[in-house]
Amino acid sequence: QLQASGGGLVQAGGSLRLSCEASGRFVMGWFRQAPGKEREFVAAISWIGGSPIYGDSVKGRFTISRDSAKNTVYLEMNSLKPEDAAVYYCAARSSRVTVLTSSSRQYSHWGRGTLVTVSS
């Protein structure tokens, strides 16, 4: 079961950190969806190592990380822009899969989203 948290209202240029608790999953991802737009890949990370991957729109500003002891994945969001405003979702691939992907269709488990609002 996945549960994302940490969303809120922040001014443009500010930062937020989202958290997602999960266990027994090798690949975790963050996606976001703004009103009227398709779901967009943000970042993904593997529990077993290797480099994470990021969507082009967040590279250099967002960082995904994990805390194995807490079974938690984080999304550190810096230099937030109004266009980053969306509902953010954490997702997990099947527990037997270790390959990172940006395709939302490859993630079988989804948590409830957390809303991020960025004021200009």
Side-chain angles (χ1 to χ4, degrees):
Q1 188 173 4
L2 305 177
Q3 181 62 55
S5 62
L9 172 64
V10 63
Q11 288 187 333
S15 299
L16 275 178
R17 188 177 77 161
L18 306 183
S19 301
C20 180
E21 294 184 21
S23 61
R25 304 295 176 184
F26 289 122
V27 174
M28 296 293 299
W30 286 99
F31 292 81
R32 67 186 183 186
Q33 189 166 20
K37 295 187 177 181
E38 294 186 354
R39 188 165 293 184
E40 178 187 12
F41 170 73
V42 177
I45 192 168
S46 169
W47 285 106
I48 61 173
S51 299
I53 59 174
Y54 295 93
D56 289 341
S57 61
V58 306
K59 283 181 181 178
R61 300 187 298 120
F62 290 13
T63 302
I64 188 171
S65 62
R66 65 188 184 275
D67 185 331
S68 299
K70 296 182 178 180
N71 289 325
T72 300
V73 174
Y74 301 99
L75 184 68
E76 185 76 34
M77 306 186 294
N78 298 315
S79 302
L80 282 162
K81 305 174 182 179
E83 51 263 43
D84 293 318
V87 177
Y88 283 72
Y89 300 89
C90 63
R93 298 199 69 184
S94 169
S95 59
R96 298 182 180 183
V97 174
T98 60
V99 176
L100 299 182
T101 177
S102 61
S103 171
S104 62
R105 292 177 295 179
Q106 302 300 321
Y107 291 79
S108 54
H109 296 79
W110 292 80
R112 294 177 63 182
T114 185
L115 178 64
V116 172
T117 304
V118 183
S119 63
S120 57

